[in-house]
Amino acid sequence: MRGKATVIAPANIAFIKYWGTQDWDRTLPFNPSLSMTLRECFTRTSVEILDRAGSDEVFFKAHGRSMEPASEAFSQRVLPHLARLRKWAGEEVSFRVATENSFPMGAGMASSASGFAALTLAVVAALGRQVTGEEASVLARLSGSGSAARSVLGGYVKWPAGEGPEEEHAVQVASAGHWDLRDVVAVLQEQAKEVSSREGHERAPTSPYFEPRQRLLHDRLERVRKAILARDFSALAPTVEEEAIDLHLIAMSSSPPIFYWRPGTLEVLAAVRRLRQEGVEVCATMDAGANVHMICTPDSEAAVAEVVGRIPDVSSLIHDGVGQGPMTVDEHLL
Ligand code: DP6
């Protein structure tokens, strides 16, 4: 029914990272990426259609607070996407939007992938339109948050790079039910990162290691894809870690350089390596930030939390795992 809709969309963690944008108008990446959609870290967004042309209204509910008009910075990212979706719909309407995250903003988790996936799907649903997962992925991608293109799908998701109808949207590689992997996040930095992903994407091609990584990526992504299909953790782990280190190698050697890590990041990485030597099925990956996502099997989750939770620089742990993707719900925020 047209009028109002609420969508929950999850965050995702990339095993093969999107790092470097070749076309900002269409948010097209230089390289393909592959991620696991999460389930506990999500954004809930309600959209109400106002049948009048005029200005859109955006509200945000922070943890433990009531719903309030969104900040200037927040609105500046949301309003252009609403304008884009209105143009796509070809309708003279306005939107009232309310949104909240399941995780505190200060937890250092990326919220734009889940945020723009939820916003896109809630607008589409409130307008009473039907779209395929592929169309939703393209619409979410155009928000400028490329990783949102992957958050509209559940399970393990690949976003190819390049032009053409097959390349511009994400596709599911395997469902959530195929392999129950967990993500224990060691939170080391609570405040927002100093250098945005956008700046990172812009600086990436200035690194001397940017081109070599592009040449390695096809094989690396195939190794990850095959390891997921075969549920082969021992094949997945070294490749996921190699890729995470490469992203930070490129960031640190960009001009000007970007250092996302904190001393605690290295401590967690060393603990993960030790655990793996002891036979615990775990590997580490980091997005554009200091926090470490520890990907592990269900049997290993408790040991990982026990050991890494004792590291003094780790302020908290978030327990997450592979999820089914977005869903429409009846608990509206408006
Ligand atoms: C390192 O441009 O999608 O997480 O600005 O948070 O929307 P936001 O990020 P985006 O870049 C994501 C970069 C990454 C790797 C990845 O998720 O593929």
Side-chain angles (χ1 to χ4, degrees):
M1 194 192 75
R2 182 186 162 95
K4 192 195 280 190
T6 299
V7 170
I8 283 179
N12 67 75
I13 176 66
F15 293 170
I16 299 290
K17 316 281 186 184
Y18 154 44
W19 201 240
T21 311
Q22 54 171 312
D23 180 343
W24 275 112
D25 289 338
R26 293 186 297 149
T27 325
L28 290 178
F30 276 107
N31 68 274
S33 54
L34 195 156
S35 55
M36 176 170 97
T37 299
L38 300 175
R39 57 176 180 245
E40 303 298 334
C41 293
F42 60 80
T43 302
R44 176 199 304 265
T45 299
S46 295
V47 171
E48 194 180 342
I49 306 293
L50 308 173
D51 282 312
R52 54 159 173 83
S55 53
D56 301 318
E57 298 168 19
V58 184
F59 297 88
F60 179 74
K61 185 173 180 299
H63 253 249
R65 308 263 304 262
S66 52
M67 192 65 75
E68 289 170 7
S71 68
E72 186 70 23
F74 191 89
S75 299
Q76 269 174 15
R77 287 201 72 185
V78 171
L79 293 175
H81 195 51
L82 290 176
R84 197 175 289 114
L85 292 170
R86 186 166 27 243
K87 198 167 162 203
W88 165 81
E91 293 195 43
E92 290 285 314
V93 292
S94 302
F95 303 110
R96 182 176 290 141
V97 176
T99 192
E100 68 174 3
N101 293 325
S102 66
F103 47 100
M105 282 289 254
M109 296 288 300
S111 53
S112 49
S114 56
F116 281 112
L119 179 67
T120 303
L121 292 169
V123 166
V124 168
L127 285 167
R129 301 290 184 97
Q130 305 282 335
V131 291
T132 62
E134 296 168 358
E135 287 164 330
S137 178
V138 171
L139 286 174
R141 189 198 86 216
L142 293 173
S143 67
S145 169
S147 50
R150 300 188 308 244
S151 265
V152 300
L153 300 170
Y156 301 88
V157 179
K158 175 181 163 183
W159 176 26
E163 307 217 10
E166 295 301 311
E167 313 293 320
E168 296 188 4
H169 61 81
V171 286
Q172 192 182 62
V173 168
S175 69
H178 170 75
W179 197 12
D180 180 9
L181 284 182
R182 306 289 165 86
D183 177 11
V184 182
V185 189
V187 178
L188 293 147
Q189 187 183 19
E190 307 235 329
Q191 65 273 37
K193 56 194 179 227
E194 284 154 28
V195 182
S196 68
S197 297
R198 184 173 175 119
E199 278 184 64
H201 292 305
E202 281 169 0
R203 291 185 209 174
T206 65
S207 163
Y209 304 109
F210 182 77
E211 284 299 331
R213 174 171 176 264
Q214 300 299 312
R215 291 197 289 276
L216 295 170
L217 271 174
H218 178 74
D219 279 358
R220 194 179 279 168
L221 188 140
E222 274 307 292
R223 263 185 277 146
V224 167
R225 194 181 66 83
K226 286 180 181 155
I228 291 169
L229 292 179
R231 298 184 201 90
D232 182 348
F233 198 88
S234 58
L236 182 76
T239 314
V240 166
E241 286 195 358
E242 164 188 315
E243 165 65 359
I245 301 300
D246 262 16
L247 175 127
H248 288 271
L249 177 76
I250 287 173
M252 291 182 209
S253 56
S254 293
S255 179
I258 311 169
F259 295 92
Y260 286 117
W261 291 6
R262 293 286 173 273
T265 309
L266 285 168
E267 278 190 68
V268 175
L269 290 178
V272 167
R273 272 198 304 276
R274 275 196 304 275
L275 280 163
R276 205 157 62 244
Q277 277 158 11
E278 290 162 13
V280 178
E281 290 187 307
V282 58
C283 64
T285 186
M286 295 81 65
D287 276 347
N291 301 332
V292 185
H293 292 250
M294 295 172 287
I295 309 301
C296 58
T297 52
D299 287 349
S300 305
E301 187 173 358
V304 170
E306 161 76 25
V307 169
V308 175
R310 283 202 303 260
I311 296 174
D313 283 358
V314 174
S315 59
S316 61
L317 295 174
I318 297 173
H319 287 263
D320 212 325
V322 65
Q324 314 243 358
M327 55 185 177
T328 304
V329 296
D330 287 332
E331 295 82 39
H332 302 298
L333 293 167
L334 286 164

